[in-house]
Amino acid sequence: MRVQFRVKRFNPEHDKQPYWGEYEVEVESTDRVLDGLHSIKWYIDDTLALRCSCAHGICGSDAMLINGRNRLACKVLIKDLKAPIVVESMRGFRVLKDLVVDMEPFFAKYRAVKPYLVNDEPPPLTERLQTPEDRARYDDTTKCILCGACTTSCPSYWANSEYIGPAAIVAAHRFLFDSRDRGAKERLQVLNERSGVWRCRTIFNCTDACPRGISVTKAIAQLKKALLFQTL
Amino acid sequence: MMYHRHDAIIVGAGGAGLRAALEASATAEVAVLSKLYPTRSHTGAAQGGIGAALGNMEEDRWEWHMFDTVKGSDYLADQDTVEILCREAIEAVYELEHMGLPFDRTPDGRLAQRRFGGHTRNFGEGPVQRSCYAADRTGHMILQTLYQQCIKNGVRFFDEFHVLDLLIEDGGCRGVVALELATGDLHIFHAKAVLLATGGFGRLFKITSNAHALTGDCVAIAFRRGVPLEDMEFYQFHPTGIYKMGILISEAARGEGGILRNRDGERFMQRYAPTLLDLAPRDMVSRAIHAEIREGRGIGGKDYVHLDLTHLGRDVVEKKLPEISDFIRTYLGIDPVKELVPVQPTAHYAMGGIPTDVDGRVIIDEQNTPLPGLYAAGECACVSVHGANRLGTNSLVDILVFGRRAGRHIWRFVREADLLPLPFEPEAPIRSEVSRILEGTGRESVADLRRMMQQEMMDKTSVFREKAGLQEVLDHLEELRERSRKIRVQDKGHSFNTALLEALELGYLLDLAEVTVASALARTESRGAHYREDYPKRDDVNWLKHTLAYRTPNGIEFRYKPVVITRFHPEERKY
Ligand SMILES: Cc1cc2nc3c(=O)[nH]c(=O)nc-3n(C[C@H](O)[C@H](O)[C@H](O)COP(=O)(O)OP(=O)(O)OC[C@H]3O[C@@H](n4cnc5c(N)ncnc54)[C@H](O)[C@@H]3O)c2cc1C
Ligand code: FES
């Protein structure tokens, strides 16, 4: 079948303004939006820039705005969308070229929450023990692939890009609820700052946007609670 | 032109590169270059697990793991290296746990383990639970955990830097040339040591489980710079890729009890591997699937079979295999708890690659002579622990064990080695190649040439091979290479010119396709993943040896290297 795409194009090297590129490509019923974009790039206009790698929703390269929602282009089938398929870069990040945005500020926020296990006690010769119940407490937030879909769907983040954003909070949650971690104090401090969790207005956009099905808003709420009642 | 100087450069930020970086950066000043953001690396796609004889569920020993690996390799793996792999696997897994990796647990809080293809107890008696896992997202957790540790340890990263050349002069490696994606600038990284950890090259084939980025860049670059490539004829096809898409359904699905069925609903593996059945090694299962298809027992007579998970129940499918279920629902629109999943073999893993010793040092001949300053680890390397066929869960072990060993050797090496001067105008060859592509006025398209190569490799160089077909591919590749000199890219810009990079990647793939096919043509026997219909038997008298392929002005030349055999003498492989 043939399908129409409208893709927001912008190359700061020579464009003053973004513009819409209109394309029509031949696709199969099993094709993903990523395949459609590749058809454009490979057979119509190779200047189209996008990131991708795994093509099955696990590497987090290709989050973008598809028909008004943040999705991974490799995880949406064309046949499930209304045409024309409208594709733009994620909102709130600087556009480097077409669908490629500057992720560095996003990763800087991730790094700020100390996204690693903090525990200086000498480990045993074999594994540390952890019950399946303790393991389950942070399971949901281990799934994050750092695609940025949550943070760039968040109105609080659009309003103020100082906000640390849902993705970094998810990373903090993953460690704060891990029974092996000892870094709660430092991490909670970051989350308690003005740019921290309190900017979240519980709008749920992040949860809707997450391609991994993480209950992001719930994780944020758990951290707010932990801060208020010092329950960690 | 930007100039950087470091003790060591690590190319690639997958499991192998990151593990090496953690080790080397403890004392050396290291920079990691990666064409993808580190967390986008394909290690993150690994699903099923990492094998180590912890014995948490039942008795297990590293010697059994070693036996399985050697037998699985069809006796082509070097047994001294396999011994290291299986012994150090245990420590490697505990180390990951100590770094915070969220493994699944047993009720008493220890690391849970499950079955995987080809892994047995007591030298082949029956399946054993050896694979440690985090649901079916083990690779994701490994990649995240290692990257997090790198952040903790302040490892220096150059993200979205695409390495395009290796600086080798007078038999020593002195650095790399890389293109910065954001600006299009060329950078020279001058270093005492370089580690290549650029992963696999499944994009040689039409149907693959591998990411778009897996184009074998540095394997091809090393080859062009005179390094031989080992055992390139051995490329693994995983039995269960989603039909037409190639997306992997991990062996864990069969480890949890999944069954392969043909059009008659028959569990056909009973006829091919009566003991291990659906959990026989991958080469055998892939061949069995192809055989069923050829004999008309594919589903509806087509080129796929069914993977049956329906008897496992919702709980097992959703809890143990959540990612896979999600793929099946997303891409096929079916519920694996209720419906059968259409699968076909998918190009998955390169057993061959850049030859190294057990410390990751790249070696350049059958005497194991190292090339000073150059290292390789992970899927791009060939140690060789996988021989002619890799067992599931052993690649994640490989990247950790040999990533760490390479990192360790690097810091010892850079402590003593001098920084050697750079060659004259080190970036000149790449600069001219880039200009040639950007200024090209031909009519050929990169995408067309790549598609033709992938189709040809899939049709004639995959699970079954024979002389005439391989020869045809070689001729066709020659033609494609000729045509690739006349490609044209529209994008002449600097920033994120991925059209340019795809053109360069096509060049790497064509080189690797040629070595793969030539090596396959030369090996007139069948062993592991390399199955020649015209030579269906393994031939230990003539072929119990590793291939080393060299690029010479007269085309590819071969030398051969004996296999190291310490404990297990080659036997017929029955499961
Ligand atoms: C779907 C899937 C499932 C798997 N499941 C399992 C499993 O359950 N158990 C198991 O043991 N194995 C599994 N494997 C195999 C295993 O995951 C891989 O072999 C292994 O992760 C490879 O790791 P690596 O570090 O060598 O390479 P990768 O993780 O692929 O990393 C390659 C790195 O090199 C970089 N790079 C490449 N080219 C360049 C360049 N030119 N310049 C700069 N950087 C470059 C990339 O950016 C990337 O960072 C699976 C593989 C796949 C595809
Ligand atoms: S390409 Fe990896 S998530 Fe889409």
Side-chain angles (χ1 to χ4, degrees):
Chain A
M1 65 181 170
R2 293 191 76 76
V3 62
Q4 266 82 33
F5 275 87
R6 297 190 73 207
V7 184
K8 198 179 215 173
R9 305 289 311 265
F10 179 58
N11 182 352
E13 278 186 72
H14 48 69
D15 300 330
K16 293 218 166 58
Q17 291 287 325
Y19 64 98
W20 290 99
E22 316 249 353
Y23 313 92
E24 190 180 275
V25 290
E26 183 67 34
V27 297
E28 292 191 35
S29 64
T30 48
D31 277 351
R32 304 150 260 205
V33 169
L34 179 64
D35 298 311
L37 293 171
H38 273 152
S39 289
I40 298 172
K41 180 170 179 64
W42 293 342
Y43 301 109
I44 302 176
D45 181 357
D46 72 21
T47 65
L48 175 65
L50 66 148
R51 291 192 178 103
C52 83
S53 189
C54 73
H56 64 282
I58 189 69
C59 77
S61 295
D62 58 346
M64 52 188 78
L65 207 52
I66 298 172
N67 283 1
R69 279 181 61 195
N70 269 354
R71 319 276 302 257
L72 296 172
C74 65
K75 239 191 144 181
V76 204
L77 297 187
I78 290 175
K79 70 176 169 52
D80 296 334
L81 294 176
K82 274 230 298 272
I85 297 171
V86 183
V87 183
E88 304 165 56
S89 60
M90 289 187 279
R91 267 184 216 150
F93 290 167
R94 185 167 64 98
V95 178
L96 298 177
K97 184 176 172 190
D98 300 331
L99 303 170
V100 177
V101 293
D102 181 8
M103 296 292 286
E104 194 36 48
F106 174 81
F107 279 103
K109 288 177 172 146
Y110 172 70
R111 291 191 295 267
V113 298
K114 300 192 189 290
Y116 40 80
L117 192 83
V118 176
N119 186 330
D120 295 332
E121 299 151 22
L125 284 176
T126 63
E127 68 268 55
R128 295 190 193 93
L129 299 183
Q130 182 169 57
T131 63
E133 295 71 38
D134 279 344
R135 166 68 180 77
R137 289 179 76 208
Y138 64 101
D139 187 60
D140 199 35
T141 43
T142 62
K143 294 190 291 198
C144 175
I145 52 174
L146 298 166
C147 66
C150 57
T151 298
T152 58
S153 70
C154 172
S156 306
Y157 179 78
W158 300 335
N160 186 340
S161 62
E162 296 279 288
Y163 174 34
I164 193 157
I169 302 177
V170 162
H173 180 283
R174 178 254 170 271
F175 289 102
L176 284 165
F177 286 85
D178 185 334
S179 57
R180 300 167 295 174
D181 187 72
R182 305 285 177 265
K185 223 174 111 196
E186 310 150 61
R187 249 180 242 120
L188 286 173
Q189 218 165 18
V190 180
L191 297 178
N192 207 11
E193 280 167 16
R194 274 185 43 209
S195 53
V197 290
W198 307 112
R199 288 207 178 264
C200 166
R201 298 277 179 271
T202 326
I203 302 168
F204 280 96
N205 276 16
C206 51
T207 304
D208 288 342
C210 179
R212 306 279 293 155
I214 301 173
S215 303
V216 183
T217 316
K218 184 170 150 202
I220 300 177
Q222 284 177 343
L223 289 176
K224 287 180 180 168
K225 214 164 117 191
L227 281 168
L228 277 178
F229 304 110
Q230 314 242 309
T231 49
L232 271 174
Chain B
M1 170 76 49
M2 310 268 274
Y3 172 87
H4 311 255
R5 186 163 45 196
H6 297 275
D7 283 344
I9 294 297
I10 292 175
V11 187
L18 295 179
R19 187 64 196 83
L22 277 176
E23 202 67 21
S25 65
T27 53
E29 199 277 301
V30 177
V32 182
L33 274 55
S34 174
K35 68 177 179 179
L36 304 169
Y37 272 104
T39 57
R40 317 292 186 220
S41 304
H42 213 54
T43 291
Q47 302 170 354
I50 171 165
L54 308 183
N56 279 1
M57 319 294 286
E58 57 189 316
E59 187 188 356
D60 198 5
R61 303 194 193 152
W62 67 260
E63 292 92 337
W64 300 350
H65 187 186
M66 176 177 172
F67 171 78
D68 294 336
T69 303
V70 170
K71 183 175 172 191
S73 81
D74 222 345
Y75 294 91
L76 190 69
D78 288 324
Q79 298 187 13
D80 51 344
T81 65
V82 179
E83 178 162 341
I84 291 175
L85 180 89
C86 299
R87 274 174 183 270
E88 297 188 8
I90 298 170
E91 197 187 325
V93 166
Y94 288 139
E95 206 173 58
L96 284 176
E97 195 285 325
H98 298 158
M99 290 178 186
L101 195 130
F103 282 111
D104 278 28
R105 301 283 175 155
T106 62
D108 57 354
R110 312 190 63 191
L111 303 185
Q113 298 184 274
R114 67 177 160 208
R115 292 178 174 180
F116 235 81
H119 290 278
T120 71
R121 76 185 127 76
N122 204 14
F123 309 108
E125 265 178 26
V128 74
Q129 300 171 77
R130 184 177 290 147
S131 166
C132 308
Y133 58 96
D136 53 355
R137 51 180 86 98
T138 315
H140 165 74
M141 301 296 194
I142 291 180
L143 186 65
Q144 299 284 327
T145 303
L146 292 175
Y147 182 56
Q148 290 159 353
Q149 290 295 310
C150 285
I151 293 178
K152 183 176 180 195
N153 290 290
V155 173
R156 178 84 197 270
F157 285 95
F158 289 85
D159 296 334
E160 303 199 311
F161 275 62
H162 200 129
V163 170
L164 299 180
D165 208 359
L166 265 177
L167 303 173
I168 295 176
E169 198 164 77
D170 297 334
C173 182
R174 300 163 184 215
V176 301
V177 182
L179 182 142
E180 181 180 6
L181 266 72
T183 60
D185 292 338
L186 290 178
H187 295 246
I188 291 173
F189 289 85
H190 189 185
K192 294 178 186 174
V194 172
L195 170 71
L196 305 176
T198 54
F201 34 88
R203 288 283 150 181
L204 281 179
F205 301 92
K206 181 178 170 204
I207 304 286
T208 178
S209 65
N210 282 197
H212 284 285
L214 291 178
T215 47
D217 310 357
C218 287
V219 181
I221 293 168
F223 186 55
R224 291 175 185 178
R225 293 275 166 227
V227 173
L229 297 182
E230 183 171 348
D231 291 343
M232 290 292 283
E233 61 272 41
F234 298 101
Y235 197 92
Q236 179 168 80
F237 281 75
H238 191 292
T240 55
I242 292 183
Y243 183 47
K244 284 193 175 167
M245 303 184 97
I247 296 171
L248 194 77
I249 308 280
S250 165
E251 214 160 87
R254 282 170 286 135
E256 297 291 349
I259 292 173
L260 290 165
R261 301 190 185 279
N262 60 20
R263 68 179 298 167
D264 307 320
E266 183 204 6
R267 181 178 203 177
F268 56 84
M269 282 312 297
Q270 265 164 348
R271 283 186 274 114
Y272 298 90
T275 310
L276 288 189
L277 299 162
D278 301 275
L279 284 178
R282 294 174 178 172
D283 56 328
M284 293 188 153
V285 183
S286 286
R287 268 198 300 281
I289 294 176
H290 266 246
E292 290 298 297
I293 290 169
R294 280 192 173 187
E295 286 157 29
R297 290 191 294 274
I299 308 303
K302 292 210 195 124
D303 54 343
Y304 66 97
V305 295
H306 275 144
L307 175 64
D308 182 358
L309 306 174
T310 56
H311 53 291
L312 301 182
R314 186 158 304 274
D315 214 45
V316 170
V317 174
E318 303 286 348
K319 286 225 176 77
K320 297 281 180 70
L321 308 167
E323 297 286 330
I324 293 171
S325 322
D326 180 45
F327 298 151
I328 294 168
R329 275 192 295 265
T330 304
Y331 297 110
L332 295 168
I334 63 177
D335 178 359
V337 182
K338 297 201 192 117
E339 285 164 274
L340 305 176
V341 186
V343 293
Q344 76 184 142
T346 183
H348 186 59
Y349 185 83
M351 270 76 72
I354 304 166
T356 71
D357 68 8
V358 295
D359 291 314
R361 292 188 294 178
V362 171
I363 55 177
I364 50 166
D365 57 27
E366 55 280 49
Q367 281 83 44
N368 295 331
T369 311
L371 194 163
L374 188 61
Y375 294 77
E379 191 170 334
C380 70
C382 178
V383 197
S384 130
V385 285
H386 310 302
N389 173 62
R390 171 173 76 83
L391 288 193
T393 79
N394 270 355
S395 174
L396 293 176
V397 185
D398 177 2
I399 62 180
L400 293 168
V401 167
F402 292 102
R404 180 170 80 163
R405 291 179 76 97
R408 192 165 289 178
H409 201 279
I410 286 172
W411 67 252
R412 273 188 265 140
F413 177 81
V414 300
R415 211 172 40 197
E416 273 144 35
D418 294 322
L419 187 71
L420 301 173
L422 284 174
F424 177 66
E425 292 192 345
E427 79 291 2
I430 278 307
R431 200 177 280 292
S432 73
E433 195 177 346
V434 167
S435 326
R436 183 183 61 76
I437 293 173
L438 291 180
E439 287 155 21
T441 53
R443 307 187 65 95
E444 298 288 353
S445 113
V446 171
D448 283 336
L449 299 182
R450 185 175 53 211
R451 195 184 52 204
M452 284 186 263
M453 175 203 68
Q454 289 169 336
Q455 183 72 56
E456 190 83 354
M457 291 296 286
M458 196 73 202
D459 291 345
K460 296 174 191 150
T461 319
S462 60
V463 178
F464 289 114
R465 303 158 167 189
E466 46 87 35
K467 183 173 177 195
L470 291 170
Q471 190 58 56
E472 276 167 38
V473 190
L474 268 190
D475 296 344
H476 197 183
L477 285 171
E478 177 78 37
E479 181 200 321
L480 292 177
R481 184 188 304 282
E482 205 42 56
R483 289 173 64 181
S484 74
R485 299 205 174 90
K486 303 187 205 93
I487 50 176
R488 179 190 169 88
V489 298
Q490 296 155 286
D491 196 340
K492 313 288 182 201
H494 301 288
S495 174
F496 286 94
N497 189 340
T498 45
L500 166 67
L501 294 171
E502 285 187 29
L504 289 161
E505 288 168 346
L506 172 67
Y508 305 139
L509 286 173
L510 285 172
D511 280 7
L512 296 185
E514 188 190 353
V515 202
T516 303
V517 180
S519 304
L521 196 56
R523 187 175 280 270
T524 49
E525 65 152 355
S526 290
R527 184 184 297 272
H530 171 68
Y531 188 83
R532 285 280 302 257
E533 293 188 86
D534 40 357
Y535 298 92
K537 290 242 155 24
R538 192 174 87 194
D539 174 1
D540 287 340
V541 177
N542 296 302
W543 286 104
L544 188 58
K545 57 189 180 186
H546 297 288
T547 306
L548 290 178
Y550 291 79
R551 181 162 145 143
T552 76
N554 314 321
I556 294 174
E557 279 175 16
F558 294 104
R559 290 194 221 163
Y560 292 92
K561 193 175 98 161
V563 174
V564 179
I565 293 173
T566 57
R567 288 175 187 241
F568 303 113
H569 277 274
E571 285 171 13
E572 197 193 342
R573 230 164 125 236
K574 283 206 192 109
Y575 286 95

